[in-house]
Amino acid sequence: MTTSDDASVYKITEDLALVQTLDFFTPVLDDPYLYGQIAAANSLSDVYAMGGEPKLAMNIACFPKDLPKEVIKQILLGSHDKVKEANALVIGGHTVEDKEPKFGLSVTGFIHPKDVVTNCNAKPGDVLILTKPLGLGILNTGIKAGLVSQEGYNTAVFVMTQLNKFSKDAMMKVGVNSCTDITGFGLLGHAYEMAEGSDVTIKLFSSSVPVIEEAISLARMGIIPAGAYRNMEYVKKQVEVSDKTAQEIIDCMCDPQTSGGLLISVEKSKADLLLNELKNSPTPYGLVGEVTERQDCRIIVE
Ligand code: CO
Ligand code: CO
Ligand code: CO
């Protein structure tokens, strides 16, 4: 099956398909155990975004020669613990020497071929639900600059280490049209991909988008990662933003997310059902938009 998703699907039998993905990145935090957890949650997410259940994982690691053994141990332990929480197994991996540490996983999951959810099947009349708050890139930038409170740090860590399993189980129970996880391209970039792939227009309600409080004040101070500007540049021509949208909310909507939530496009008649399934979600979530027939712009922010 060919899609523009971050994972690939290979049909083995009529009842069984393989979901295969690979992701890795440089450290987002100084704490090696948390870094391992976040990298694993992020890698597993691409399987969840397609509705799959991860089963096997392999570490992919680049470590500097002088990186203490204990640090490496903690990264691998963080990853191992997250993979275990996902009911999957780490079955090996490969490490090379590199100046800058990088870490992630290749994940293999399974799904029924009929249940595969892609990021290019949003339908006019759908509503959009986002399952984690935005602002993680801004907070990570603030953390590196020493500008974030302990509470802001704890919130960012909590959100980034959460598996998207809960949201994935909820969406699979209800049955949805389309899904993507929100990572490097930010909400606007990933929504744009979904709109383009589905040949529809997506309307986002800026006042309903869940955002981590402290990211808003950081954005007002101009603490915004370069990637957010690149994301805006990338989608600019296809985005129409109403005057009433605050700039700091736009900044958060462009903010590259690390281990962000799922953006789910679901038939309006099933929206309450899905919101009800998400009721005990560990992270804040919200109904953030709707899908219309294709208009002049792919994305309308109001
Ligand atoms: Co990915
Ligand atoms: Co992804
Ligand atoms: Co090897």
Side-chain angles (χ1 to χ4, degrees), residues 185-244:
F185 297 134
L187 176 63
L188 278 192
H190 289 283
Y192 171 75
E193 267 191 338
M194 184 182 275
E196 172 89 8
S198 312
D199 198 24
V200 294
T201 284
I202 283 179
K203 213 181 265 185
L204 294 169
F205 314 137
S206 59
S207 58
S208 315
V209 173
V211 180
I212 300 170
E213 199 61 40
E214 201 163 331
I216 298 176
S217 46
L218 287 168
R220 280 197 199 114
M221 289 161 60
I223 312 298
I224 297 162
Y229 296 105
R230 281 199 297 273
N231 288 339
M232 191 39 156
E233 199 53 41
Y234 175 66
V235 293
K236 199 167 69 182
K237 286 198 183 76
Q238 286 294 329
V239 179
E240 196 183 285
V241 181
S242 86
D243 305 337
K244 60 180 182 192

Side-chain angles (χ1 to χ4, degrees), residues 281-297:
S281 164
T283 49
Y285 58 93
L287 197 159
V288 300
E290 63 188 24
V291 181
T292 73
E293 298 284 347
R294 180 185 177 164
Q295 301 176 33
D296 291 343
C297 269

